[in-house]
């Protein structure tokens, strides 16, 4: 009933106030990038022309080109970021990014890999941004937003920039050096940029950061009609990672930033989970001006390289993770087969007072390996080929994704008349992901063996089932050797789209359509002993033909007031990770693989006056036929299982408000509000299979309907005041409030198997079934900056020199209780929980908290 009332409220709000921002908003994203670093920069404002004044005549009223910034999206992109706010509750794959004309989103999951150009803020400032369903000039578009970054050399400001920044977040220090020539009389332009970001330890204990960035671009203008651009960049990065943690361990550590991924080794902190990324990108762009009304931009891109993460692996040994559930005081006191509260209290005191009992015991792992002497017979299947030595029981493994990607994209923009613009584009994308593991560190041992210990447990008399590589049995592993899984995912996509924009005196409207073809398949590189006939070689080729249409209309009340309404209907192919049941081991996939369907509409009202800007809008989006695959240990079946889910429907609706009021020449007030509701809208179906045999254990109905989409606030509010001095300095103070954020649920607890032994709506039922809501939270942020034009004595080549200072302090009140996300553990003991609702806590949720007070300060010299 509440959902229905809220829906009616938001739809009514949208119909009463509906408005359209024209196409794309070109912004100087020095602001965007500095904001992401925690610094507010100057935001340029486009002046209104005579047509915007609304004196009419027979001329068209100017279509709104987002003069200045959108007050709501400015807040949503920055002020709400501390709590991982997602615009309209959409997943990241609904926000697309292009660079120099090619799509940058990964084909495997749809996400934008922002880390590929991390630390290169100076040369990534020029952007076109299109929010929601608005039309744009470079792509048909996703429903969240579409961004085109123009990093070509001729588009960079001709200057040299040297900057240093200090922070207490992921990294502590950053240096950047950038030099751009601008375009010369001979038609050449060059741009170079480099950076380093580092921290011996970040905000979270045990984390560290070491990132570099490099960028080179050259442009050549050929005549008046051709511009050829070549751009290359990369950002090799290594960082020690934070892990999600349960509240019990945080309480023992006395901090919500407890990190289970590290421990002391020889007196120094060592992290077991290290992320490494280096995937260089090369883009060649040709900008062809056919005539004054028509341009054709064609771009080709190539990227390659690895992204990886390390982790502990072990063979026939105790779990080395310090927060393993059997090591917790609560387990000893409550869940063990023979409970002992006194012993649990002793363990609590020990872990509370000695940090070494809360972290990884590296010395113990080395001691176990050095004491583990073994002989492995018939190595690589060769009789008599025996190897003896210290067999590592614990190692550090590196899980690697090697990606090779090709992009080709071409977009034609032409103006048929003063009233009609036409855009069309075509693209081809090919991505190959190679997934494999290798031994990173033997932790003092001589070798590891490429065998599956869980298969040995399940099939003790089958001498081949335990082999990860059946063609090379009992393979001895040294550091750097590949082992475990080894497979490729090959994805290709071809798309074409067209768009017409029609502008008249009082009304603008547009229509656009998109047609795409996507295919992907798995190709195994080793023959797995569990699935010798379904693991190596090419699997089923999945093929999808998808389409999308969208359109919108804008009514121009005058040059300052606009009403708009847009709508779209589209299908999109699933991602491979939601199709393959266990790609690490076999080619098997879900039954009835289909494309997801999206229906969405938005409407709103916009006022854009010199001293007052407002945007009020509403949206309604329905997703149908989504898919997902989960793998976890199932206590009832006492085995690792694959949980293949289909029929995932979601409903997102809500309203958005943004206001910017210029009180005087120096004071501005900004306000924003997002009020939405995001629900799962169906009972989902799941097929449960044993990971080691693929046998079907059962089919379950998941009662997910009306559960909330997790890990983003559905309500967010912001109010700020900004003072901008005519003497080139500014300060701002902003307060933010967040509510209606929920924990990611374990679907297993919302099935008949989990609920059949408890009384509906009882306390036991509610403890198992209900979804956890996070407490409402708040932040206060401060920003300030000063731009100083140095005396003429400091001029370089007769160009003025500026020294710019910025500082941002987030979460000024040091609120350390903001849960930004988390998840119920998939492992769940249904039988125990049915008998005792407190037993739901045997495997408690894992959480992430927002940083307390944190800062970013920079000084930049530009000339």
């Amino acid at each position: 009933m509440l959902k229905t009332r809220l829906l009616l409220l938001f739809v009514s709000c949208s119909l009463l106030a509906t408005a359209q921002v024209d196409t794309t908003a070109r912004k100087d994203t020095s602001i965007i990038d500095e904001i992401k670093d925690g610094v507010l920069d100057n935001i340029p404002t486009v002046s209104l022309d005579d047509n915007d004044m609304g004196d009419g005549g027979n001329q068209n009223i100017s279509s709104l080109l987002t003069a200045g910034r959108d007050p709501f999206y400015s807040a949503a992109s920055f002020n709400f970021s501390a709590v991982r706010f997602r615009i309209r509750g959409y997943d990241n794959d609904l926000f697309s990014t292009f660079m120099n004309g090619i799509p940058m989103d990964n084909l495997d999951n749809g996400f934008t890999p922002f880390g590929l150009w991390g630390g290169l803020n100076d040369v990534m400032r020029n952007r076109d941004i299109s929010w929601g369903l608005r039309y744009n000039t470079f792509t048909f578009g996703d429903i969240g937003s579409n961004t085109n970054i123009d990093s070509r050399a001729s588009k960079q400001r001709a200057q040299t920039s040297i900057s240093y920044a200090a922070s207490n977040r992921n990294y502590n220090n950053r240096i950047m050096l950038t030099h751009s020539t601008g375009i010369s009389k001979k038609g050449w332009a060059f741009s170079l940029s480099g950076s380093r970001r580092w921290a011996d330890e970040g905000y979270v204990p045990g984390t560290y950061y070491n990132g570099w960035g490099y960028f080179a671009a050259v442009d050549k203008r050929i005549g008046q009609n051709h511009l050829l651009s070549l751009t290359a960049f990369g950002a090799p990065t290594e960082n020690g990672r934070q892990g999600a943690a349960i509240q019990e361990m945080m309480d023992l550590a006395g901090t919500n930033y407890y990190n289970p991924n590290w421990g002391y080794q020889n007196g120094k902190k060592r992290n077991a989970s290290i992320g490494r990324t280096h995937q260089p990108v090369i883009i060649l762009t040709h900008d062809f001006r056919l005539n004054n009304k028509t341009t054709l931009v064609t771009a080709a891109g190539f990227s390659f390289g690895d992204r990886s993460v390390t982790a502990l692996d072990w063979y026939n040994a105790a779990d080395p993770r310090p927060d393993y559930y059997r090591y917790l005081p609560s387990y000893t006191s409550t869940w063990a087969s023979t409970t002992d509260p006194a012993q649990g209290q002793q363990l609590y005191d020990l872990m509370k007072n000695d940090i070494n009992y809360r972290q990884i015991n590296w010395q113990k792992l080395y001691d176990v390996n050095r004491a583990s002497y073994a002989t492995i017979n018939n190595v690589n299947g060769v009789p008599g080929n025996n190897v003896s030595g210290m067999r590592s029981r614990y190692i550090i493994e590196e899980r690697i994704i090697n990606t090779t990607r090709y992009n080709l994209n071409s977009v034609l923009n032409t103006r048929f008349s003063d009233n009609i613009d036409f855009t069309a584009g075509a693209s081809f994308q090919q991505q190959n992901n190679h997934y494999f593991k290798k031994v990173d560190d033997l932790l003092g041992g001589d070798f590891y063996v490429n065998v599956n210990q869980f298969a040995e447990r399940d099939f003790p008399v089958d001498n081949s089932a335990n082999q990860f590589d059946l063609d090379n049995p009992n393979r001895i592993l040294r550091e750097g050797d590949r082992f475990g899984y080894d497979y490729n995912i090959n994805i290709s996509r071809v798309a074409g789209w067209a768009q017409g924009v029609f502008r008249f005196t009082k009304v603008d409207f547009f229509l656009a359509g998109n047609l795409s073809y996507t295919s992907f398949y798995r190709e195994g590189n080793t023959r797995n002993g569990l699935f010798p006939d379904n693991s190596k070689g090419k699997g089923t080729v999945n093929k999808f033909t998808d389409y999308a249409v969208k359109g919108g209309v804008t009514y121009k009340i005058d040059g300052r007031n606009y009403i708009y309404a847009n709508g779209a209907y589209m299908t999109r192919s699933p991602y491979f990770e939601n199709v393959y049941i266990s790609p690490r081991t076999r080619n098997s996939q879900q039954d009835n693989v289909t494309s997801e369907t999206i229906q969405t509409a938005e409407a709103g009202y916009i006022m854009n006056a010199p001293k007052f800007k407002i945007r009020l809008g509403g949206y309604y989006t329905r997703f149908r036929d989504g898919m997902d695959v989960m793998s976890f240990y199932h206590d009832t079946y006492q085995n690792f299982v694959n949980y293949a889910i289909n029929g995932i429907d979601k409903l997102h609706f809500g309203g958005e408000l943004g206001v910017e009021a210029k009180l005087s020449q120096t004071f501005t007030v900004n306000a924003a509000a997002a009020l939405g509701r995001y629900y799962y809208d169906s009972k989902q179906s799941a097929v449960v299979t044993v990971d080691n045999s693929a046998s079907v254990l059962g089919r379950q109905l998941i009662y997910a309907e009306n559960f909330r989409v997790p890990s983003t606030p559905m309500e967010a509010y912001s109010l700020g005041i900004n003072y901008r001095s005519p003497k080139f300095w500014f300060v701002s103070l902003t307060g933010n409030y967040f509510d209606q954020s929920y924990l990611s649920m374990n679907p297993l607890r919302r099935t008949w198997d989990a609920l059949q032994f408890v009384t509906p709506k009882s306390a036991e039922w509610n403890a198992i079934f209900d979804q956890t809501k996070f407490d409402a939270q708040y932040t206060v942020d401060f920003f300030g900056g000063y731009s100083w034009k140095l005396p003429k004595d400091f001029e370089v080549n007769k160009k003025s020199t500026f020294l710019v200072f910025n500082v941002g302090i987030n979460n000024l009140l040091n609120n350390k209780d903001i849960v930004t996300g988390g998840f119920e553990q998939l492992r769940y003991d249904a039988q125990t929980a049915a008998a005792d609702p407190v037993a739901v806590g045997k495997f408690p949720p894992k959480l992430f908290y927002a940083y307390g007070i944190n800062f970013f300060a920079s000084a930049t010299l530009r000339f």
Side-chain angles (χ1 to χ4, degrees):
M1 192 67 175
L2 174 61
K3 182 167 68 173
T4 302
R5 289 176 178 174
L6 285 168
L7 175 59
L8 291 174
L9 171 63
F10 291 133
V11 170
S12 299
C13 173
S14 302
L15 293 177
L16 286 172
T18 39
Q20 162 95 25
V21 174
D22 196 50
T23 82
T24 52
R26 177 172 289 276
K27 298 184 179 180
D28 176 354
T29 56
S30 57
I31 301 118
I32 303 291
D33 291 326
E34 291 298 331
I35 280 177
K36 288 182 178 179
D37 288 333
V39 178
L40 184 64
D41 203 344
N42 294 322
I43 295 176
T45 301
V46 177
S47 300
L48 298 176
D49 61 24
D50 292 337
N51 290 328
D52 289 326
M53 303 308 293
D55 43 322
N58 293 323
Q59 295 181 346
N60 290 355
I61 297 174
S62 174
S63 299
L64 186 63
L65 293 174
T66 313
R69 59 177 180 172
D70 183 301
F72 172 77
Y73 286 117
S74 294
S77 300
F78 176 57
N79 297 339
F80 299 160
S81 62
V83 293
R84 300 182 184 179
F85 176 82
R86 301 202 304 267
I87 293 174
R88 300 183 181 180
Y90 294 161
D91 291 331
N92 292 336
D93 60 331
L94 294 171
F95 299 80
S96 69
T97 302
F98 285 64
M99 186 179 296
N100 297 354
I102 67 164
M104 299 299 296
D105 306 332
N106 288 323
L107 291 180
D108 53 3
N109 57 18
F111 290 8
T112 297
F114 293 105
L116 299 191
W117 54 90
L120 298 173
N121 307 51
D122 278 348
V123 290
M124 300 291 170
R125 301 192 186 284
N126 302 311
R127 304 184 182 189
D128 289 342
I129 304 175
S130 171
W131 297 102
L133 302 178
R134 305 165 190 173
Y135 61 88
N136 59 76
T137 59
F138 56 90
T139 181
F140 174 84
D142 277 322
I143 66 173
S145 73
N146 303 280
T147 301
N148 184 38
I149 303 171
D150 193 341
S151 62
R152 292 177 293 179
S154 59
K155 304 299 181 180
Q156 305 294 339
R157 182 179 299 173
Q159 68 174 11
T160 298
S161 174
I162 305 170
S163 71
Y164 171 78
S167 175
N168 68 336
R169 300 173 184 170
N170 292 338
Y171 57 83
N172 299 147
N173 306 276
R174 185 192 72 184
I175 55 174
M176 281 197 303
L177 173 62
T178 302
H179 177 70
S180 300
T181 64
I183 196 156
S184 70
K185 293 180 180 180
K186 293 184 178 181
W188 289 96
F190 300 91
S191 183
L192 296 171
S193 185
S195 73
R196 191 192 174 201
R197 297 166 292 163
W198 73 97
D200 293 334
E201 184 169 57
Y203 190 95
V204 175
T207 64
Y208 70 89
Y209 201 97
N210 186 22
W212 297 80
Y214 58 87
F215 173 93
V218 57
D219 283 14
K220 179 65 172 78
R221 183 172 295 284
I222 304 172
Q224 295 298 314
N225 298 325
H226 298 272
L227 178 65
L228 200 61
S229 306
L230 180 64
T231 304
F233 59 87
T237 303
E238 178 178 302
N239 65 296
R241 289 155 42 96
Q242 175 188 8
I246 63 173
Q247 192 63 51
E248 181 179 359
M249 289 300 294
M250 295 180 191
D251 293 341
L252 286 168
T255 173
N256 287 333
Y257 309 105
Y258 166 75
N259 182 11
N261 286 342
W262 68 274
Y264 282 107
Q265 181 178 351
N266 298 325
K268 296 182 178 180
K269 293 180 179 179
R270 179 179 179 181
N271 196 310
S273 181
I274 297 173
R276 301 185 179 105
T277 302
H278 186 203
Q279 293 180 313
V281 178
I282 303 170
I283 305 171
L284 178 65
T285 306
H286 176 224
D287 195 333
F288 178 27
R289 180 183 295 274
L290 283 77
N291 53 53
N292 289 335
K293 294 184 177 181
T294 305
T295 60
L296 177 66
V297 178
T298 302
F302 174 62
S303 62
F304 59 96
D306 295 342
R307 63 184 190 270
S308 68
V309 62
T310 64
L312 287 163
D313 189 33
W314 57 97
Y315 174 83
N316 286 348
D319 195 314
R321 296 170 297 181
D323 58 345
Y324 181 56
Y325 80 102
R326 288 179 178 269
Y327 302 158
L328 302 178
S330 61
Y331 179 82
T332 303
S333 301
T334 310
W335 315 119
S337 55
T338 303
T339 59
D340 188 340
Q343 187 177 0
Q345 183 61 45
Q346 293 177 356
L347 182 58
Y348 175 89
D349 294 337
L350 189 64
M351 296 181 71
K352 181 78 172 176
N353 297 314
D354 190 339
I355 191 173
N356 293 296
Y357 287 93
R358 301 193 300 267
Q359 306 299 152
I360 296 171
N361 189 334
W362 289 106
Q363 187 60 50
K364 181 179 178 181
L365 306 187
Y366 276 84
D367 291 344
V368 170
N369 287 346
R370 288 165 177 160
S372 181
Y373 188 86
T375 298
I376 307 301
N377 299 318
N378 304 326
V379 174
N380 294 331
V382 179
N385 185 16
N386 306 328
V387 174
S388 298
M390 293 182 295
R391 178 179 182 175
S392 290
R393 299 293 177 173
Y394 299 98
I395 67 166
I396 296 293
E397 66 178 16
E398 185 174 17
R399 304 165 184 167
I400 300 171
I401 305 175
N402 174 266
T403 297
T404 303
R405 186 175 175 190
Y406 303 90
N407 283 292
L408 182 64
N409 190 59
S410 188
V411 176
L412 175 75
N413 278 281
T414 188
R415 171 160 289 186
F416 289 152
S417 68
D418 291 341
N419 302 103
I420 302 174
D421 290 342
F422 177 77
T423 306
S427 65
F428 170 77
Q429 301 176 71
Q430 172 71 45
Q431 181 170 326
N432 174 272
N433 283 1
H434 182 193
Y435 297 81
F436 62 96
K437 296 196 298 183
K438 70 178 184 181
V439 178
D440 186 72
D441 192 337
L442 288 168
L443 301 181
D446 293 328
F447 62 86
Y448 204 51
V449 186
N450 192 27
V451 293
N452 183 344
Q453 63 173 322
F454 300 106
E456 289 179 348
R457 181 200 65 184
D458 293 345
F459 306 98
V461 297
D462 189 338
N463 293 327
S464 62
N466 71 331
Q467 298 298 323
F468 281 121
D469 185 356
L470 195 56
D471 298 324
N472 298 282
N474 298 328
R475 183 160 56 90
I476 297 300
L477 303 171
R478 311 292 183 180
E479 290 179 359
D481 289 345
R482 295 185 186 181
F483 77 107
Y485 58 79
D486 189 339
Y487 65 96
N488 290 69
I489 295 292
N490 299 283
I491 313 167
S492 62
R493 177 174 297 163
V494 179
W497 61 282
Q499 169 186 277
V501 180
F502 308 87
R503 298 186 178 92
F504 300 98
T505 303
K506 297 288 287 186
V507 175
D508 293 348
F509 68 91
F510 75 94
L511 293 171
N514 181 74
L515 185 66
S516 64
Y517 171 82
T518 304
S519 67
F520 59 79
Y521 63 90
R522 177 192 183 273
E523 185 171 15
N525 299 317
T526 57
R527 196 159 59 98
N528 190 290
L530 290 169
F531 307 98
D533 301 321
N534 192 30
S535 53
K536 189 174 182 178
K538 186 176 180 178
T540 301
V541 179
N542 295 277
K543 302 176 181 179
F544 306 89
T545 300
D546 295 295
Y547 64 93
V549 293
K550 70 177 180 179
V553 60
T554 300
Y555 177 69
K556 297 176 281 189
I557 301 172
D558 54 35
R560 296 178 180 176
N561 297 274
Y562 300 78
I563 295 174
Y564 74 90
N566 302 321
Y569 182 93
M570 62 185 66
T571 65
R572 63 171 185 166
S573 59
Y575 298 113
F576 84 89
E577 60 188 20
N578 297 328
V579 171
Y580 291 103
I581 293 175
S582 181
R584 295 170 293 105
T585 60
R586 58 192 185 274
N587 288 326
S588 301
Q589 59 185 51
Q590 290 209 50
D591 300 327
N592 303 319
V593 177
T594 60
S595 292
E596 183 180 30
T597 300
I598 303 174
Q599 300 166 281
T600 181
E602 64 181 17
Y605 163 78
I606 289 179
M607 171 188 281
N608 196 356
K611 294 186 178 181
F612 192 73
K613 296 180 177 65
I614 183 171
R615 187 175 77 79
L616 175 65
Y619 58 91
Y620 180 95
T621 305
R622 184 181 294 275
F623 302 86
R624 291 189 178 278
D625 298 323
M627 309 177 76
D628 195 9
V629 175
M630 303 175 178
S631 296
F632 55 93
Y633 186 85
H634 198 298
D635 276 74
T636 301
Y637 298 125
Q638 295 186 342
N639 215 320
F640 282 94
V641 301
N642 309 123
Y643 211 68
I645 307 172
N646 58 62
I648 301 174
D649 297 349
K650 295 186 293 183
L651 178 63
H652 296 227
F653 59 89
E656 299 164 340
L657 172 66
V659 177
E660 181 180 296
K662 193 171 182 63
L663 305 181
S664 68
Q665 292 297 317
T666 55
F667 280 99
T668 303
V669 171
N670 301 280
L675 179 59
R677 290 296 182 265
Y678 322 135
Y679 294 94
Y680 289 105
D681 201 40
S682 65
K683 296 180 178 67
Q684 302 161 9
S685 299
V687 178
V688 188
T689 58
V690 178
D691 191 50
N692 278 346
S693 68
S695 59
V696 177
L697 297 173
R699 299 177 183 272
Q700 295 181 338
L701 189 65
I702 303 169
Y703 299 101
E705 193 171 18
N706 293 325
F707 277 81
R708 272 69 166 182
V709 174
S711 300
T712 181
M714 297 186 218
E715 296 182 15
Y717 309 92
S718 176
L719 178 64
I721 186 167
N722 177 284
Y723 176 80
R724 192 171 298 275
S725 169
K727 296 183 182 291
F728 310 107
W729 61 271
F730 79 92
V731 291
S732 70
L733 189 67
T734 305
N736 310 289
Y737 180 83
F738 314 98
D739 200 4
Q740 296 296 318
S741 185
Y742 287 81
L743 186 69
S744 181
M745 68 171 185
N746 175 0
L748 198 66
R749 285 171 50 180
R750 283 80 191 180
T751 64
W752 172 249
D753 289 352
L755 299 168
Q756 60 181 319
F757 300 114
V758 295
T759 304
K761 305 302 180 182
S762 64
E764 294 83 356
W765 170 289
N766 293 335
I768 297 171
F769 188 74
D770 287 352
Q771 187 176 14
T772 300
K773 176 183 175 296
F774 300 145
D775 293 337
Q777 293 294 348
Y778 61 89
T779 60
V780 176
D781 304 322
F782 168 83
F783 300 97
Y786 175 60
S787 179
W788 178 27
K789 183 179 180 181
L790 299 182
K792 287 189 176 182
D793 293 344
F794 292 91
E795 288 184 352
V796 178
N797 296 326
K798 298 183 179 180
K799 293 173 62 177
S800 298
T801 299
F802 292 88
L803 188 57
V804 180
F805 300 95
N806 286 294
V807 62
I809 304 175
N810 292 93
N811 199 357
L812 195 61
L813 301 182
N814 201 27
N815 181 2
K816 296 184 176 181
D817 296 322
I818 305 173
V819 181
T820 59
F823 53 90
E824 295 174 349
Q825 294 193 61
L826 294 177
R827 188 169 184 180
Y828 172 67
D829 189 344
Q831 294 178 337
T832 304
D836 180 4
V838 179
V840 172
K842 182 177 180 180
F843 302 104
K846 293 196 171 186
L847 306 173
F848 287 102
Y849 282 81
Y851 294 166
I853 187 170
N854 59 93
F855 73 92
F856 183 95
S858 67
T860 303
L861 183 67
R862 293 173 180 162
F863 54 88

